[in-house]
Amino acid sequence: MQTRNKVLDDISQLMTNAMGVAQGAKDEAETAMKSWMDRWLADRDFVTREEFDAVRLMAQKAREENEALKARLDALEAATKG
């Protein structure tokens, strides 16, 4: 009976080790895929969300400044005509 327990213990240890190897392979595959995707996206010249948001804010500010300048110009033109 002692031999049977040793065999079961060995099988259990083997399965535990196999699960550890499988988890390591999974982690390595995920890291490799993420690196590949990062390189692929960088090659496509896509912008990051942060870059997009920064440009959007700059455009919004420029639009507001243009509206303010147009209002000033309209006021100056009205003053010179009237």
Side-chain angles (χ1 to χ4, degrees):
M1 196 68 177
Q2 187 68 6
T3 307
R4 184 169 172 88
N5 286 341
K6 174 72 172 140
V7 170
L8 291 177
D9 287 345
D10 289 347
I11 290 172
S12 174
Q13 186 64 40
L14 181 63
M15 295 301 288
T16 300
N17 291 342
M19 292 301 291
V21 169
Q23 182 65 39
K26 175 186 168 278
D27 293 344
E28 190 171 327
E30 286 176 350
T31 300
M33 180 59 85
K34 183 178 180 334
S35 295
W36 180 83
M37 286 296 293
D38 288 345
R39 284 192 310 273
W40 186 83
L41 289 171
D43 290 344
R44 300 306 175 276
D45 290 330
F46 291 135
V47 297
T48 64
R49 183 64 180 182
E50 292 81 17
E51 291 170 328
F52 175 81
D53 288 341
V55 171
R56 185 174 54 82
L57 288 174
M58 287 171 38
Q60 181 179 354
K61 184 177 178 183
R63 196 174 316 115
E64 291 168 357
E65 289 174 355
N66 283 341
E67 290 171 2
L69 289 172
K70 183 178 180 333
R72 284 182 59 195
L73 182 60
D74 289 344
L76 287 172
E77 288 177 347
T80 59
K81 288 182 183 178

